[in-house]
Amino acid sequence: MSNITLSEYVGFIFSEITRARDQADRVAKELALQYAKDDILKFFSVPRFKIPEMDLTIPVLISGAKFVAILEFVLKKEEFRNLLLTKISNCIRIILIQKRGFIRDIKLINDPEMKKPIFIRPIIIKQIRGWGEFSDQPLRADSIDPIIDEFYELLLNNTDPEDPESIVQVKWAEIFYKKLEENSLMDEYKRQNPSNELFRKTLKEIQDAVVAGTQVSQTKMANLLVNPETQLVKDGSSDSTVFTIKAKIMEEGIFVKTIIDEATNREKNIVEFE
C-alpha cells in the first residue's frame, strides 16, 4: 500500500488543475494566431476556456500519521555551571597530584589488596595543601563565567538538540585550556597526557550529562498519511478511516506588464490580477 502525505496529495490535485488551465490557454493562443491570419475569423472572438469557480469534494483514506518529538535542554543553569566547575576542578587536581609524584599512592586507593585504603587519601590531600598549590575550595570561575553563560545559551537554543556534540566540544575546550593556561599547567598537562586523554575523557562525560539533561518537551504531528488509491478508498474504508476535503478554487487571471520607470529609465515588471 503506497502512502503519501496529505499535503502532497492535495497539492498535486491543485497543481493538476493549474496545468489543465495552462494547456487550455495554450490552445486559445494557437487559435488566436490562426484567427488572426483568416480574413473572416479575425473579426471573431477567440474561444477561451474559463472556470470562474470549481468546487472539489475529495474523499481521503487515512493510513497513518508521523509524529516528531520536540527535545529541549532542561538542565538548570546553576546545575550546569556546577557540573563544569566540578569537572575542571577535578582536572586541575589530577594534574597537580601527578605533578608532585603522588600518582602511585592515588592508584593504591582502588587496589583490592589494600586493607585500609580509606586512610590514604586524607594524608595525600593534606600534603598537597601544604604546598600552597591546591585546596579543596572551588576554582575561581570569574574568567570562565562568560564562556559558561554562552555555552548554556547555545545548548538552550540548539536547533538540533539530538546533536549537541559540536557545541560541547568547542565550549568545553575553551574552558579546559583556559584554566590550564591560568594555572600554568599546559606544559605539564601535555607531558602527562600526550594523546589528550584527560580532555577526551571529560568531554565524553560532559556530553553524556548534556544528553541526559535533554528531554522530550512535547510531541507534534509531522504529517498525516493518506492512501490515494481510489479503489481502496471505495472498498477498504469506514467512517473512522475516511474524511472528505471540500475545497473551492476561485480562478483569477494574472497579467505581467512591462513598463519604463521614468525616474531611472529602466524596465519594471508589474503584476496585475483580473
Side-chain angles (χ1 to χ4, degrees):
M1 184 170 68
S2 56
N3 299 319
I4 60 174
T5 65
L6 180 60
S7 59
E8 291 173 332
Y9 183 41
V10 177
F12 182 78
I13 292 174
F14 291 165
S15 64
E16 286 291 278
I17 295 171
T18 302
R19 278 193 284 268
R21 171 61 192 271
D22 173 65
Q23 292 180 23
D25 285 346
R26 292 180 184 277
V27 172
K29 171 192 170 183
E30 293 299 324
L31 286 175
L33 293 175
Q34 294 177 23
Y35 277 33
K37 297 175 182 178
D38 189 280
D39 292 338
I40 297 177
L41 286 176
K42 66 181 179 182
F43 298 106
F44 286 62
S45 61
V46 178
R48 180 169 177 257
F49 179 77
K50 186 174 183 180
I51 304 176
E53 291 185 3
M54 178 183 293
D55 291 317
L56 299 177
T57 301
I58 309 169
V60 176
L61 176 62
I62 303 172
S63 59
K66 289 183 179 179
F67 297 89
V68 292
I70 307 300
L71 297 176
E72 184 178 357
F73 183 61
V74 297
L75 198 64
K76 300 298 183 184
K77 187 173 184 178
E78 193 59 30
E79 294 179 50
F80 183 66
R81 183 176 183 275
N82 290 338
L83 167 69
L84 298 180
L85 293 180
T86 299
K87 291 296 180 186
I88 194 62
S89 297
N90 288 340
C91 290
I92 300 297
R93 175 186 285 114
I94 290 170
I95 297 169
L96 287 173
I97 288 173
Q98 294 188 27
K99 179 180 179 182
R100 289 300 183 179
F102 281 86
I103 188 62
R104 290 174 298 173
D105 297 326
I106 292 295
K107 287 181 177 178
L108 289 176
I109 293 176
N110 296 319
D111 192 332
E113 297 181 2
M114 289 291 295
K115 294 181 179 179
K116 295 182 179 180
I118 193 171
F119 294 114
I120 294 177
R121 187 174 179 82
I123 296 172
I124 295 170
I125 296 301
K126 182 178 180 181
Q127 288 175 316
I128 294 173
R129 288 177 189 160
W131 296 323
E133 287 187 328
F134 188 79
S135 73
D136 57 357
Q137 298 300 317
L139 268 68
R140 288 176 58 86
D142 305 8
S143 62
I144 58 174
D145 264 340
I147 304 175
I148 294 175
D149 291 342
E150 185 180 0
F151 195 169
Y152 187 76
E153 290 300 318
L154 286 172
L155 291 174
L156 280 183
N157 300 315
N158 185 11
T159 56
D160 186 10
E162 287 186 300
D163 184 24
E165 283 81 3
S166 58
I167 295 175
V168 175
Q169 183 168 2
V170 170
K171 303 314 290 184
W172 176 239
E174 289 185 37
I175 294 172
F176 187 87
Y177 295 118
K178 187 175 184 65
K179 295 312 289 185
L180 290 186
E181 290 285 358
E182 287 181 357
N183 289 276
S184 302
L185 290 173
M186 184 62 76
D187 291 340
E188 179 63 24
Y189 170 74
K190 291 178 179 179
R191 185 186 69 79
Q192 295 178 16
N193 299 266
S195 299
N196 211 12
E197 299 92 335
L198 186 56
F199 173 78
R200 289 190 284 108
K201 177 179 180 295
T202 52
L203 174 64
K204 178 64 167 57
E205 293 169 349
I206 293 173
Q207 286 177 343
D208 290 343
V210 169
V211 170
T214 303
Q215 300 177 5
V216 176
S217 60
Q218 58 180 309
T219 302
K220 292 184 177 181
M221 182 184 291
N223 295 113
L224 185 63
L225 300 177
V226 300
N227 191 302
E229 297 182 33
T230 54
Q231 191 62 35
L232 286 175
V233 176
K234 177 183 177 182
D235 299 335
S237 63
S238 66
D239 291 340
S240 61
T241 59
V242 170
F243 68 92
T244 302
I245 300 173
K246 293 185 179 293
K248 176 177 287 188
I249 298 177
M250 308 291 292
E251 182 174 334
E252 190 174 50
I254 298 176
F255 301 96
V256 179
K257 295 182 177 180
T258 301
I259 65 170
I260 302 296
D261 188 334
E262 295 182 357
T264 61
N265 201 32
R266 293 181 179 177
E267 291 187 351
K268 292 176 58 177
N269 290 330
I270 295 181
V271 178
E272 293 184 351
F273 299 89
E274 286 184 339

